[in-house]
Amino acid sequence: FHRSAHEASRREALTWSAIWVGMALLFNAGVFWFMGTQAGIEWLTGYLVEKSLAIDNVFVFLMIFSAFAVPAMYQHRVLFWGVVGALVMRGAMIGLGAALIARFDWVIYVFGGILILTAVRMLLAGSEEPDPEKSPVIRLARRLYPVTPELHGERFFVDMRGRRAATPLFLVLLMVESSDVLFAVDSIPAIFAVTQDPFLVFTSNVFAILGLRNLYFAITPLLNRFKYLKQIIVFILAFVGVKMILAHSQ
């Protein structure tokens, strides 16, 4: 929805955030009704875990947009296609994860270990902002495709001297998509600690991601108030990782 380029107001973002959360709770009610109480609790728990971890995405999106000096009115379109790409990638990764768990029981320990290591890495990481130009994804894109020196509105590709070229906005989209792959490596094992039902895992992920774009515009003005976000995410990842290992072994 709302793919046209415009600067989303906070009121619009809050309204759409409320709509997406309402739709998620309505879907959760359907899970309770058709699949039982246990499935309903697992779905809601998975949704809350994914939504909590998604807030960290917002910080990364803000750093990417700031590094490339993307005007607010064009951020909307990048996040739209970023969400579409995230749904496809996470669907594939969830399918692969479910298949691995079904065939190799010990993969649960690997997923738990990934979460614990990620928590430790976040705890020890510094606060310096990453340089997009040092990203392997950006360097590879510049090597394979010509890139225009400036933005061309909301367009991802333009003709430059008779040759098709990417715009910096396309590089921003690549950064958003690649960052979501890294986040998925953390969040998907986390939800498998809650439930191993692929339907519950995928649909709770979908609803958490669908409201991510509006969440970004809603809380960006308040980011300076999230002083303990890093510690909270470290705790969630470590707790879920330990729970995943102990619940499987005990």
Side-chain angles (χ1 to χ4, degrees), residues 41-62:
I41 293 173
E42 290 176 357
W43 192 97
L44 181 60
T45 305
Y47 173 76
L48 292 175
V49 168
E50 293 299 312
K51 204 70 173 175
S52 301
L53 296 177
I55 296 179
D56 202 32
N57 293 51
V58 173
F59 276 84
V60 174
F61 293 161
L62 182 61

Side-chain angles (χ1 to χ4, degrees), residues 73-107:
M73 66 181 300
Y74 301 140
Q75 296 175 10
H76 207 272
R77 185 163 190 255
V78 172
L79 291 178
F80 171 83
W81 290 109
V83 167
V84 171
L87 291 175
V88 174
M89 288 188 294
R90 293 200 180 205
M93 294 177 73
I94 288 169
L96 177 61
L100 288 173
I101 290 174
R103 187 164 184 178
F104 305 106
D105 200 42
W106 49 265
V107 170

